[in-house]
Amino acid sequence: MGNQPSKKSENKKTKKSKPVKENEEIVKEQKGVVDTKVKYLDEYPLLSLFSTSEKKILKNLFLTLCDVTLDIQDGNDIQNQELEKKIITEGEIKEEKFIHFLKLPSKLNNFGKLLYHSFKSLTYLKKQVNAYEQESDIQKYLNKYEAKNKLNFEQFLFAISLYCMKFDEEILSKEKRIHCIYYSLNEELEKDEKKNDSEDKTDDLDELLGLNSKEETVTISHKTIKEMILGMAWITKAHQMSVLKLKSIVNTKEKEKLEVKTEQNQNEINDSVNSEMIEKLTNKWKENLDKDIPSEVIQTLSDINDSNKNIKEEMTNSKNKNFFDYHSIDSYEYDVIINLDEITINESYISFALDFSLPKKMRNLSEDEKNNFMHPWKDWNKWYTLRAPNLFRILSIFIYNRLFNSKHANNKSIYLLSNSIKGNGIIANMDDFLKIDCGINWEQLYTFSWFIPNNCMESHINMDVLYQATKDGFSISRYEHCVRYYPGSTVLFIIGDIQNNKDNNQIIVGGFVQSPWKFNSTFWGNNQCSIFELSPLFESCPGSKKNTNYVFCNSKNGIGFGGKTGNHRLWINNFFQKGGYQYDILADYMNSYVASETSFNQKFDVSEIVVIGFGGKESLEAQRKAWDFEKNEAERRNNINLLRNADGEIDKNFLKMAGIIDETAEDKGIIRCQDIPDEKKD
């Protein structure tokens, strides 16, 4: 009996064991659900490139876009796991659903169709791996991956991973990524796939060596490239109009808040005034007019006056104050709706700039002949790499936002793009620059964004106007005052009238400078600098490493890019009146920048010069502080010079007046030092 457990202890055991059993069953049940999901999703290694939330979005989005009607609640997975698995493994996104998902206006349907074709046709251009190189799991998977020419879940993941830059540079370099996109835009791809099924395959050795590979010989029509670029131009302008709309909303709302706050402050001031005391003291003073106004009354009235003055100043300043912060675009909760009819683009200029990717003999042909021209990959890639390396920049941002931006998923602010892809910025805010009306339009700035570095093209960066010749003066001294000590990247735009030209054509040229401006008699800069022409031709020439003569600037010679002192590739004189843009194919000293197509020498009369800064508020503040320091230092030195006599020696009379020299010790030539702390005497 003594060894038997009591009823009390039995009850305790029973009470403890029940919940444990229930918990085990719950855990087991949950684990079973998880295992069911992971079991088939493990077949898609590319999912490992995405975060947990991104995985969920991708899965539910694919289920939604498939031609199957399913009841999916926001934020919840489908309950029927078998049905989900069947759709994921066998489903396919059709063109109509994909285009609807892009949420673009009907006039961009061709752009949507091209993008769908690209998603469906993207394939991995196999990487030749060194025998000693260890392949990652993703690399092994990609080298075996074959596109099925349909947008199933596997192809969907691959396309998004490529467009949203989820692959490491080692797996897929920038050039290889663009090559994949270029290859996927080939209209004949589907025909070639069917044709290849019935023909013998290319010799394995030739394929390994890359000889006669279809990827290298693929061609795309000029019309296809143009439609893609014009579609991206529209997306870019829609984004920038959304930013301006958001800026207007934020400023309006913040000013309204400030007015309410100001009114509250005014009421608090009025409430704090002791009107009875003022009335009593004032009446007392009136009875004794020979006496001064009581100090309490004067102080109270003074305080009220100061407070009202501060409120008025704050209200006046708020009218011109910009409350909008480009760094906080993603944090604003306002729904930005723009009028799509207001988005107008001069397509002719963008098409004109793109025509320079054509062979020279093709550029003066008719539009139909140019549109039908087929670009070989090698030729187009050479132009793209040198002249427009960021041509497809906006596309990645657009696709990422359509997929993962919660506002877009809820049909809010659908043209306002969040810059969520590192190293792939959106074109900066151009509003302030366009307002100065210097002769450069939006389309020219858009083509300018094709080759400017990524760190200058982010949505939170404003194109700050540092210098404008027609406003600040055609003078290199004024130029120096406006751009010196600015630590951020800058671009110099020069607008001129071409000399000896019957049509009086305008020329727009310039130079991008990565480092701060220097004013001396030597060349400076680095190969991140570049020079360009936006009109009447389109050309971008990045810095090379053949010599270091990148930028030259001083008051005697003016400003020059490349070449040598007195004979630069791009220059304006020190009076900012004359300029020139030239290239000599035989002159080695002009090779600081990539070569132009042919030799030329174009001189012009300068009509406008503008310098834009990309460093944001931080750079503007740093420049202001540097100038303040120099000003204070100059004043300090000037004060010291005032103490000197005609012989250049410090005047003792000033030192006596300042108490630095002891008159009693003057005859002995002793400087008074009894007031100096002991630690400084040593």
Side-chain angles (χ1 to χ4, degrees):
M1 290 286 291
N3 293 331
Q4 290 179 358
S6 64
K7 288 183 179 180
K8 214 179 238 185
S9 63
E10 282 180 4
N11 289 337
K12 282 183 181 177
K13 284 183 181 179
T14 308
K15 285 178 183 178
K16 285 181 181 176
S17 60
K18 245 185 177 179
V20 170
K21 187 177 181 182
E22 287 174 359
N23 289 337
E24 285 176 354
E25 289 177 356
I26 292 170
V27 170
K28 189 176 181 182
E29 187 180 343
Q30 289 176 342
K31 189 176 179 183
V33 173
V34 173
D35 288 342
T36 305
K37 292 180 183 180
V38 173
K39 188 175 180 181
Y40 73 86
L41 289 180
D42 274 350
E43 299 174 12
Y44 305 101
L46 294 183
L47 277 173
S48 63
L49 300 173
F50 299 89
S51 67
T52 304
S53 60
E54 288 174 342
K55 290 176 187 176
K56 190 172 183 178
I57 290 169
L58 289 174
K59 185 188 72 172
N60 285 343
L61 181 61
F62 184 82
L63 294 171
T64 304
L65 294 179
C66 281
D67 287 330
V68 180
T69 304
L70 296 170
D71 184 19
I72 305 177
Q73 296 180 354
D74 291 341
N76 295 327
D77 292 335
I78 295 176
Q79 298 302 314
N80 190 332
Q81 299 298 326
E82 290 300 321
L83 180 58
E84 177 185 301
K85 178 182 176 182
K86 184 176 180 62
I87 297 169
I88 289 290
T89 53
E90 300 177 14
E92 176 185 358
I93 300 174
K94 299 295 185 181
E95 184 181 273
E96 185 179 351
K97 285 278 188 74
F98 182 86
I99 294 175
H100 179 72
F101 158 72
L102 294 177
K103 300 171 185 173
L104 292 171
S106 56
K107 63 182 178 182
L108 291 183
N109 272 350
N110 284 341
F111 172 76
K113 289 178 181 179
L114 286 172
L115 202 52
Y116 174 76
H117 186 276
S118 174
F119 262 63
K120 186 178 69 168
S121 307
L122 270 172
T123 188
Y124 181 71
L125 306 182
K126 294 177 175 57
K127 177 185 176 184
Q128 296 180 17
V129 182
N130 190 300
Y132 299 99
E133 184 180 347
Q134 190 173 2
E135 289 184 288
S136 64
D137 292 338
I138 296 293
Q139 184 70 69
K140 290 176 183 177
Y141 166 79
L142 291 174
N143 280 333
K144 294 178 181 178
Y145 179 71
E146 294 290 343
K148 303 296 189 296
N149 203 29
K150 67 177 184 178
L151 197 50
N152 58 15
F153 189 62
E154 188 175 29
Q155 182 67 16
F156 185 61
L157 288 178
F158 174 68
I160 292 167
S161 300
L162 187 143
Y163 268 107
C164 295
M165 303 175 72
K166 290 290 185 179
F167 294 118
D168 292 335
E169 184 73 15
E170 294 178 359
I171 293 176
L172 195 72
S173 64
K174 181 181 177 181
E175 181 182 352
K176 204 76 171 174
R177 175 176 163 268
I178 298 301
H179 194 175
C180 289
I181 294 173
Y182 188 89
Y183 180 68
S184 70
L185 292 172
N186 181 15
E187 300 90 337
E188 301 297 319
L189 199 57
E190 292 182 35
K191 297 178 184 177
D192 292 343
E193 291 288 340
K194 293 176 182 177
K195 204 174 187 181
N196 289 338
D197 288 340
S198 59
E199 294 179 357
D200 294 332
K201 292 187 177 180
T202 310
D203 186 79
D204 291 341
L205 181 60
D206 285 350
E207 185 177 347
L208 180 66
L209 297 175
L211 301 175
N212 302 319
S213 65
K214 59 185 178 181
E215 292 89 354
E216 293 296 330
T217 57
V218 69
T219 58
I220 298 179
S221 71
H222 188 68
K223 181 182 179 182
T224 297
I225 295 175
K226 188 192 297 184
E227 285 182 342
M228 285 293 290
I229 303 307
L230 290 175
M232 289 187 281
W234 190 94
I235 292 169
T236 303
K237 193 155 192 180
H239 163 70
Q240 292 199 319
M241 285 186 65
S242 298
V243 172
L244 292 179
K245 182 80 172 181
L246 178 60
K247 180 180 179 181
S248 175
I249 293 172
V250 170
N251 280 325
T252 301
K253 297 290 184 183
E254 291 300 320
K255 284 176 183 177
E256 288 175 357
K257 290 179 183 178
L258 185 61
E259 287 176 3
V260 173
K261 185 180 177 182
T262 303
E263 187 176 348
Q264 290 174 349
N265 291 340
Q266 183 72 64
N267 292 334
E268 288 175 5
I269 291 169
N270 293 336
D271 293 340
S272 65
V273 175
N274 191 335
S275 55
E276 292 181 1
M277 184 195 73
I278 293 177
E279 185 178 359
K280 184 177 179 181
L281 292 172
T282 305
N283 289 335
K284 188 177 179 181
W285 171 70
K286 287 179 179 178
E287 294 173 0
N288 302 278
L289 292 175
D290 56 327
K291 294 183 178 181
D292 294 333
I293 299 177
S295 59
E296 295 91 336
V297 177
I298 294 175
Q299 185 60 47
T300 304
L301 294 175
S302 176
D303 292 342
I304 294 172
N305 182 62
D306 291 343
S307 300
N308 287 333
K309 187 178 178 182
N310 292 335
I311 289 173
K312 286 180 180 178
E313 286 180 0
E314 193 173 354
M315 288 294 292
T316 303
N317 294 335
S318 68
K319 290 179 181 179
N320 301 319
K321 184 179 179 181
N322 178 26
F323 294 91
F324 182 66
D325 182 8
Y326 289 98
H327 291 268
S328 305
I329 282 180
D330 299 338
S331 65
Y332 294 117
E333 295 299 326
Y334 304 110
D335 184 15
V336 180
I337 301 172
I338 58 174
N339 185 353
L340 301 186
D341 294 332
E342 293 179 0
I343 302 177
T344 56
I345 294 175
N346 181 2
E347 295 184 355
S348 61
Y349 176 80
I350 297 174
S351 300
F352 153 79
L354 200 58
D355 284 349
F356 285 87
S357 64
L358 293 165
K360 199 171 181 180
K361 62 182 180 181
M362 296 287 299
R363 295 172 194 169
N364 293 324
L365 299 179
S366 67
E367 282 300 310
D368 288 339
E369 289 175 308
K370 287 189 286 189
N371 286 338
N372 292 329
F373 176 78
M374 302 300 290
H375 287 274
W377 159 249
K378 287 185 176 179
D379 294 344
W380 190 84
N381 182 51
K382 183 179 179 181
W383 176 84
Y384 164 84
T385 303
L386 287 179
R387 314 298 183 191
N390 296 313
L391 193 63
F392 289 100
R393 176 178 8 220
I394 193 71
L395 201 52
S396 298
I397 303 290
F398 171 69
I399 292 171
Y400 187 91
N401 275 267
R402 281 291 181 267
L403 290 165
F404 303 118
N405 190 323
S406 59
K407 291 180 182 177
H408 289 213
N410 296 319
N411 288 318
K412 291 185 176 181
S413 304
I414 59 174
Y415 298 111
L416 184 66
L417 306 180
S418 167
N419 189 18
S420 306
I421 300 181
K422 187 178 180 181
N424 208 51
I426 307 171
I427 186 170
N429 174 52
M430 304 184 299
D431 187 45
D432 289 344
F433 182 25
L434 292 173
K435 280 180 181 177
I436 66 174
D437 193 23
C438 63
I440 299 177
N441 57 39
W442 186 90
E443 289 75 15
Q444 288 166 335
L445 286 181
Y446 172 68
T447 58
F448 168 71
S449 74
W450 292 355
F451 53 82
I452 195 168
N454 271 314
N455 65 326
C456 298
M457 290 283 107
E458 296 181 8
S459 59
H460 63 261
I461 288 181
N462 194 45
M463 296 179 73
D464 296 310
V465 181
L466 304 181
Y467 168 81
Q468 184 182 5
T470 52
K471 176 185 174 184
D472 299 308
F474 285 84
S475 161
I476 198 164
S477 61
R478 292 296 304 150
Y479 182 88
E480 179 179 356
H481 179 77
C482 293
V483 305
R484 192 169 191 172
Y485 300 133
Y486 184 83
S489 301
T490 54
V491 61
L492 166 68
F493 289 101
I494 306 169
I495 300 97
D497 298 315
I498 298 175
Q499 296 176 358
N500 302 322
N501 191 296
K502 295 179 181 179
D503 298 327
N504 293 321
N505 284 347
Q506 187 185 66
I507 185 171
I508 301 175
V509 290
F512 173 77
V513 180
Q514 186 82 24
S515 52
W517 280 83
K518 298 178 182 178
F519 295 81
N520 51 38
S521 56
T522 60
F523 278 93
W524 49 274
N526 53 44
N527 65 338
Q528 296 300 307
C529 298
S530 63
I531 56 176
F532 57 86
E533 179 179 359
L534 300 179
S535 179
L537 306 178
F538 175 81
E539 179 181 65
S540 164
C541 301
S544 69
K545 295 182 179 180
K546 294 186 177 180
N547 65 57
T548 58
N549 293 358
Y550 297 110
V551 189
F552 185 92
C553 180
N554 65 29
S555 58
K556 181 180 178 182
N557 302 92
I559 300 173
F561 290 83
K564 59 185 180 180
T565 306
N567 192 14
H568 301 283
R569 191 160 166 185
L570 170 64
W571 59 273
I572 50 176
N573 65 13
N574 57 337
F575 296 108
F576 285 11
Q577 294 175 344
K578 302 288 184 181
Y581 183 44
Q582 62 174 329
Y583 179 69
D584 186 348
I585 201 168
L586 300 176
D588 290 338
Y589 63 84
M590 286 199 175
N591 291 330
S592 309
Y593 298 93
V594 169
S596 297
E597 284 186 327
T598 58
S599 298
F600 62 90
N601 190 345
Q602 194 74 70
K603 294 182 179 179
F604 53 85
D605 297 318
V606 176
S607 59
E608 181 66 287
I609 301 170
V610 180
V611 177
I612 298 298
F614 291 98
K617 293 179 180 177
E618 295 81 5
S619 291
L620 289 172
E621 182 63 18
Q623 183 189 34
R624 185 191 64 78
K625 287 181 178 179
W627 274 115
D628 287 347
F629 175 80
E630 181 163 308
K631 181 181 177 182
N632 293 335
E633 188 67 11
E635 289 178 355
R636 186 186 67 80
R637 291 174 182 172
N638 188 46
N639 290 336
I640 292 175
N641 290 332
L642 288 174
L643 299 178
R644 300 182 184 277
N645 55 29
D647 297 327
E649 297 178 355
I650 294 179
D651 195 329
K652 291 182 179 181
N653 291 323
F654 283 109
L655 298 180
K656 289 176 185 178
M657 291 168 61
I660 298 173
I661 293 181
D662 189 348
E663 293 183 1
T664 59
E666 184 182 355
D667 294 336
K668 300 178 182 179
I670 301 172
I671 301 292
R672 189 173 65 187
C673 59
Q674 52 264 35
D675 295 332
I676 299 176
D678 293 338
E679 58 207 24
K680 290 190 176 180
K681 288 180 183 179
D682 298 336

